[in-house]
Amino acid sequence: MSSTPEPLRDESPGLAVVLGGTGGIGAALANGLRHQGHEVLALGRRTEPALDYADEASVARVAQAVADELARTGLPLRHLVVATGVLHDGEIQPERSWAHLDAAALQRLFLVNAVGPALVMRHCLPLLPRQSRSVAAFLSARVGSIGDNRLGGWYGYRASKAALNQLVHTAAIELARRCPHALCVALHPGTVDTGLSAPFAKTGLTVRPPEVAAQELLRVIDTLPAGSSGGFFDHQGTEVPW
């Protein structure tokens, strides 16, 4: 992507939108963005408007709420962070074998981890400014990397996050034509001490508080270099293989 213009380093305040902004990592990201001086709109399943990926109209209402806030404040949309995701939910658990594959569970994982973010792309990416730097960041997972998969298992989560990565990469190509200084990336936050990862944290695994993970992710977002749009990066800014 060498033809991508150098992103403008605009440090002025803007609007930051965090979807999944009431969850552990999402709330920490929202707080971190507030501390940076941005106006923050944190939305989720229990906010007003509510975000429900099973109802595309709710995603459109969220986008309208963002547009209304942009009009009210006169600020540009500097950050769009999608921190939604599901690994386990009741009877839905990571599969240890193909024998555990279940159609309903797969549909749920793909809805939350891939289809929902795709709808966010449709309704929210057009709100990014055309002539100044902005970042759309989608929280993915290293286990969504096909090249890094050496353990197997976790079929649905791996595949749905791999689908998200492809969606991000594809959206970045289209976004570059519309907003040449905008960046669209997938980010791996590492293992964070939240309800999503708690049942699977292993002894010796580096588990960080949401506040620490958020600081690391925001540091990556703020220092993304030219040519990084469409990429997949971990919380240290290291590129993750597809």
Side-chain angles (χ1 to χ4, degrees):
M1 302 181 69
S2 57
S3 61
T4 303
E6 175 71 30
L8 298 178
R9 294 298 172 184
D10 192 336
E11 302 301 328
S12 60
L15 179 66
V17 175
V18 183
L19 302 184
T22 58
I25 184 66
L29 285 163
N31 287 334
L33 288 161
R34 287 190 189 96
H35 290 153
Q36 289 185 348
H38 297 289
E39 184 84 13
V40 175
L41 186 60
L43 298 172
R45 290 176 296 173
R46 289 176 289 277
T47 60
E48 180 55 45
L51 179 66
D52 179 3
Y53 286 153
D55 176 16
E56 183 174 352
S58 80
V59 184
R61 287 191 292 271
V62 163
Q64 185 59 55
V66 175
D68 292 345
E69 191 69 5
L70 292 171
R72 184 187 71 82
T73 62
L75 295 171
L77 180 56
R78 291 269 179 247
H79 297 80
L80 172 65
V81 182
V82 179
T84 53
V86 63
L87 170 60
H88 56 90
D89 185 10
E91 294 183 357
I92 299 175
Q93 297 293 325
E95 310 91 346
R96 295 188 301 275
S97 163
W98 59 56
H100 301 138
L101 287 168
D102 175 81
L106 289 169
Q107 289 170 358
R108 169 69 175 163
L109 290 167
F110 271 83
L111 172 66
V112 176
N113 295 335
V115 175
L119 296 177
V120 172
M121 293 172 186
R122 174 185 178 183
H123 291 281
C124 294
L125 289 184
L127 300 174
L128 294 173
R130 288 179 176 269
Q131 298 301 328
S132 59
R133 188 181 193 270
S134 61
V135 179
F138 295 78
L139 296 199
S140 184
R142 185 179 294 275
V143 295
S145 167
I146 295 173
D148 194 52
N149 182 1
R150 295 174 177 81
L151 296 176
W154 290 29
Y155 284 80
Y157 190 67
R158 287 185 186 277
S160 60
K161 288 297 189 178
L164 172 63
N165 292 345
Q166 179 68 283
L167 289 164
V168 168
H169 188 76
T170 302
I173 295 171
E174 181 174 355
L175 183 63
R177 302 181 188 126
R178 177 187 178 92
C179 307
H181 300 291
L183 303 175
C184 182
V185 295
L187 297 179
H188 166 59
T191 305
V192 185
D193 187 12
T194 65
L196 183 144
S197 61
F200 309 100
K202 300 177 181 178
T203 301
L205 194 64
T206 302
V207 181
R208 291 117 60 242
E211 295 75 17
V212 173
Q215 290 174 3
E216 294 171 343
L217 289 172
L218 291 176
R219 189 178 302 115
V220 173
I221 288 172
D222 291 341
T223 58
L224 286 168
S228 60
S229 192
F232 181 18
F233 304 93
D234 69 12
H235 54 95
Q236 296 178 330
T238 304
E239 196 160 3
V240 181
W242 296 116

